[in-house]
Amino acid sequence: MNLSKREFVQMLGAGAVAGIGLGRYGSADAAAGLDSMYALPRFGNVSMLHMTDCHAQLKPLYFREPGVNIGVGNMRGKVPHLVGEHLLKAAGVPPGTRMAHALTYLDFDKAAQRYGKVGGFAHLATLVKQLKASRPGALLLDGGDTWQGSATSLWTQAQDMVDACKLLGVDVMTGHWEFTYGMERVKQIIEKDFAGHIEFVAQNVKTADFGDPVFKPYVMREINGVPCVIVGQAFPYTPIANPRYMVADWTFGIQDDNLQRVVDEARGKGAQVVVVLSHNGMDVDLKMASRVTGIDAILGGHTHDGTPMPTLVSNAGGKTIVVNGGSNGKFLGVIDFDVKGKKVSDFRYRLLPVFSDLIPADKDMDALITRIRAPYEAKLSETLAHTDGTLYRRGNFNGTGDQLLLDALMEVQDAPIAFSPGFRWGTSLLPGQPITREWLMDMTATTYSYATVTQMTGETLKTVLEDVCDNLFNPDPYYQQGGDMVRVGGLQYTCDPTASMGQRIQDMRLGGKPIEAGRSYKVAGWAPVSEEARTAGNKPVWEVIEPWLKSRKVISTRRLDEPVLKNIAPNPGLS
């Protein structure tokens, strides 16, 4: 696709980026909100809707965006590494509006109380139906991380999400956390449940023995007479970030060269629009867009970045649009292409926040969700404690929700240090809300959430922190594996994100005393990726933390264990 800078600026326009004055709808009822805020004028002749990283959240929820999303090197100060006022300024979004609340952590508690919950499949279904009705032939694309992240998804082996996505009208999907249900379960769903309904695509997943494609690399669909191709890009680091034994017969990777061959093949078959449905993470998508030609747009996920404006990346063949669709069902992306002369001549993009108080619940989806949850409702809704402060997960280094897990693990496991994975999924709670079993599962539900206690030397502690830190802050996006920094309880340290590999972690201390390289330390943790862990007989982490919550009844505001940062401020990715 080729657009001049002047054309790009004209295409954006203040209204397009700012969300058409979302602050006006602060007191609108559901019917008025649907008719006005979400009534996007149709543009062009090809439309696609994009959702990603819903993490099995079927019901409306609260979700606090990060206050720390640091960009280093060439990514400093660029989308997606902008938070708070910096993001609002770049996007032209007025502070204090609904869109400002959707995109940032600013005044989260007050704004959440004012604007209510976001997401929910019943509300999303209504919005999808309206947009598809106004855009004949529009496809709904699911970027993955859909089957994991809730108790019901874990307990039903993702059947709840499979049924909900079929009813929602998903057309094409790729994956990541889906693979943690194991190869057989993934194939069973695709071959049986999805057959005739949803296409699962991933050009970068091959068999380990002969290198054959495991899934279709792409699908071609005709939209209003225009041949369109959607190429799948599954999370390339699945066997590293998650247990390898769950996908033992498959290989992954970015696979630029193969992607270029797939795109060229699609163009050779007459595709006039080529879109990559990606689960790379946005930094990886931006680099990939600069290397692979012939892609009109990359609709991305994995890093949970909600990007209200597109980034146009130049490459040898023209320009590629790159966007990311947020997480937890709180956004729906809408991209409209104007295809003329067998190529994309122009486009429009909107990232719509899904406010459940503005969108009526779809009756069929609401009924399905009620049926899905009915056998588990009493168990899910049981109150374990109440929280005095806001509980959230997102942020490069820690969140109050993870701090709660760390504090519980250190006390229950009698360990001076605790690690919690840098997962980006997990819902938020407002002060005074009950901490239910459902919330605890929202924060911990994986197929390998075993609680562990390990002896680690000081040298090993530093190695672990350095490895994860490099995954987050390596200046080459192709060496970033997504996720945030491992959360650390009890241990104090200094972090320099700008330093070279192996030099970012300094001044490690426990109780004010320096960590000794050769000394052994007791460390509590959870979600080990080793194959041995699944037969070690350890309890699921929620069984360890639940009694701790019940014994306290009220959880005080958590004090975050965060590193001292060096050589990074000021940075527009730092609140």
Side-chain angles (χ1 to χ4, degrees):
M1 188 192 70
N2 292 281
L3 279 179
S4 68
K5 182 176 180 180
R6 178 173 175 271
E7 289 170 332
F8 180 46
V9 172
Q10 288 177 336
M11 177 278 302
L12 287 177
V17 179
I20 323 174
L22 300 181
R24 296 199 308 249
Y25 306 105
S27 59
D29 61 23
L34 187 63
D35 291 342
S36 50
M37 179 175 169
Y38 298 105
L40 296 187
R42 184 182 174 188
F43 176 82
N45 50 355
V46 170
S47 297
M48 297 182 189
L49 315 179
H50 176 228
M51 56 175 275
T52 189
D53 296 276
C54 76
H55 284 286
Q57 294 301 321
L58 291 174
K59 300 285 285 184
L61 49 84
Y62 296 111
F63 184 78
R64 183 187 185 274
E65 296 293 336
V68 183
N69 189 357
I70 297 170
V72 296
N74 293 333
M75 291 310 300
R76 184 188 185 280
K78 297 179 181 178
V79 174
H81 301 288
L82 300 172
V83 300
E85 297 93 339
H86 303 289
L87 178 57
L88 298 185
K89 182 178 179 180
V93 174
T97 61
R98 280 186 177 270
M99 192 62 165
H101 171 52
L103 292 172
T104 73
Y105 66 92
L106 297 171
D107 298 316
F108 175 74
D109 294 355
K110 291 181 179 178
Q113 291 171 351
R114 178 184 180 187
Y115 296 125
K117 293 183 177 182
V118 295
F121 261 50
H123 306 276
L124 182 62
T126 298
L127 184 57
V128 167
K129 284 182 178 179
Q130 173 172 303
L131 290 166
K132 281 195 170 186
S134 67
R135 287 160 166 77
L139 299 178
L140 176 57
L141 312 183
D142 178 354
D145 278 7
T146 303
W147 303 352
Q148 176 276 334
S150 74
T152 56
S153 187
L154 180 66
W155 295 338
T156 66
Q157 285 198 295
Q159 195 63 47
D160 63 335
M161 299 310 301
V162 170
D163 294 342
C165 285
K166 286 168 64 178
L167 183 59
L168 186 64
V170 171
D171 294 288
V172 186
M173 179 184 182
T174 194
H176 168 208
W177 273 94
E178 287 71 18
F179 302 125
T180 62
Y181 286 99
M183 296 176 291
E184 292 306 314
R185 178 60 176 151
V186 171
K187 289 190 292 184
Q188 180 187 53
I189 290 172
I190 293 172
E191 293 169 3
K192 295 182 180 179
D193 294 89
F194 277 12
H197 299 280
I198 301 174
E199 295 280 8
F200 192 98
V201 291
Q203 69 87 23
N204 60 328
V205 183
K206 308 289 179 58
T207 59
D209 49 7
F210 298 110
D212 296 326
V214 176
F215 310 105
K216 294 179 181 179
Y218 66 89
V219 293
M220 180 178 282
R221 295 287 181 87
E222 190 171 286
I223 303 176
N224 299 321
V226 179
C228 303
V229 160
I230 299 92
V231 183
Q233 177 78 4
F235 181 52
Y237 300 112
T238 298
I240 300 172
N242 307 105
R244 172 66 187 157
Y245 61 83
M246 293 177 171
V247 288
D249 298 339
W250 299 344
T251 64
F252 290 73
I254 295 172
Q255 300 190 26
D256 277 352
D257 292 342
N258 192 65
L259 178 59
Q260 186 66 72
R261 286 192 291 270
V262 168
V263 172
D264 291 346
E265 177 183 313
R267 290 291 185 185
K269 291 183 177 180
Q272 297 175 23
V273 178
V274 175
V275 168
V276 173
L277 181 59
S278 167
H279 204 90
N280 281 334
M282 189 161 182
D283 286 356
V284 177
D285 285 337
L286 292 168
K287 180 174 179 178
M288 192 172 73
S290 72
R291 292 163 60 92
V292 181
T293 62
I295 301 170
D296 293 301
I298 299 176
L299 307 183
H302 178 62
T303 40
H304 293 197
D305 303 304
T307 58
M309 64 286 202
T311 299
L312 261 67
V313 179
S314 298
N315 54 54
K319 290 179 175 22
T320 297
I321 307 157
V322 179
V323 296
N324 246 224
S327 68
N328 283 275
K330 68 180 289 189
F331 294 108
L332 182 68
V334 184
I335 190 161
D336 298 321
F337 299 100
D338 190 22
V339 182
K340 295 178 179 177
K342 298 185 178 181
K343 63 181 181 181
V344 174
S345 63
D346 201 354
F347 77 101
R348 299 285 187 274
Y349 176 74
R350 306 286 195 279
L351 183 69
L352 297 178
V354 181
F355 283 104
S356 56
D357 66 333
L358 293 185
I359 306 173
D362 177 78
K363 292 181 180 179
D364 292 338
M365 184 64 78
D366 199 41
L368 174 64
I369 294 170
T370 299
R371 290 197 301 273
I372 287 170
R373 292 173 58 89
Y376 313 104
E377 199 65 64
K379 190 175 180 180
L380 292 169
S381 61
E382 182 179 344
T383 296
L384 309 178
H386 283 78
T387 178
D388 274 348
T390 302
L391 294 177
Y392 65 90
R393 170 164 272 166
R394 276 305 312 273
N396 280 163
F397 295 101
N398 206 351
T400 52
D402 271 314
Q403 189 66 54
L404 181 154
L405 303 183
L406 292 167
D407 293 344
L409 286 171
M410 287 189 290
E411 184 168 338
V412 176
Q413 305 284 59
D414 190 27
I417 300 171
F419 285 167
S420 185
F423 295 145
R424 296 190 175 197
W425 43 271
T427 58
S428 303
L429 290 180
L430 302 182
Q433 282 197 292
I435 300 175
T436 62
R437 182 175 287 109
E438 181 163 22
W439 180 83
L440 179 58
M441 295 300 290
D442 285 348
M443 293 290 289
T444 58
T446 81
T447 54
Y448 57 99
S449 292
Y450 313 110
T452 61
V453 178
T454 309
Q455 293 292 329
M456 294 186 183
T457 64
E459 182 180 15
T460 300
L461 288 171
K462 186 175 190 300
T463 298
V464 169
L465 294 180
E466 289 282 8
D467 284 351
V468 180
C469 202
D470 190 62
N471 289 340
L472 187 59
F473 296 119
N474 193 300
D476 184 344
Y478 278 19
Y479 288 92
Q480 297 174 9
Q481 296 169 12
D484 282 316
M485 185 65 181
V486 60
R487 281 74 165 100
V488 180
L491 179 71
Q492 302 87 45
Y493 67 99
T494 298
C495 177
D496 182 355
T498 67
S500 59
M501 184 176 180
Q503 303 298 317
R504 295 186 179 94
I505 306 300
Q506 305 161 11
D507 194 27
M508 297 167 53
R509 293 176 177 270
L510 182 63
K513 297 180 180 180
I515 291 290
E516 301 174 32
R519 181 180 171 184
S520 182
Y521 298 87
K522 187 178 181 181
V523 182
W526 66 282
V529 298
S530 67
E531 186 168 4
E532 295 77 18
R534 63 175 171 171
T535 58
N538 293 328
K539 292 181 179 180
V541 68
W542 49 83
E543 291 186 8
V544 173
I545 293 172
E546 184 174 310
W548 182 87
L549 288 169
K550 288 181 175 179
S551 69
R552 270 146 191 80
K553 297 183 180 179
V554 176
I555 302 300
S556 60
T557 301
R558 298 290 94 184
R559 183 188 64 82
L560 289 181
D561 287 332
E562 292 184 293
V564 175
L565 297 180
K566 288 180 60 177
N567 299 325
I568 201 67
N571 187 294
L574 186 64
S575 61

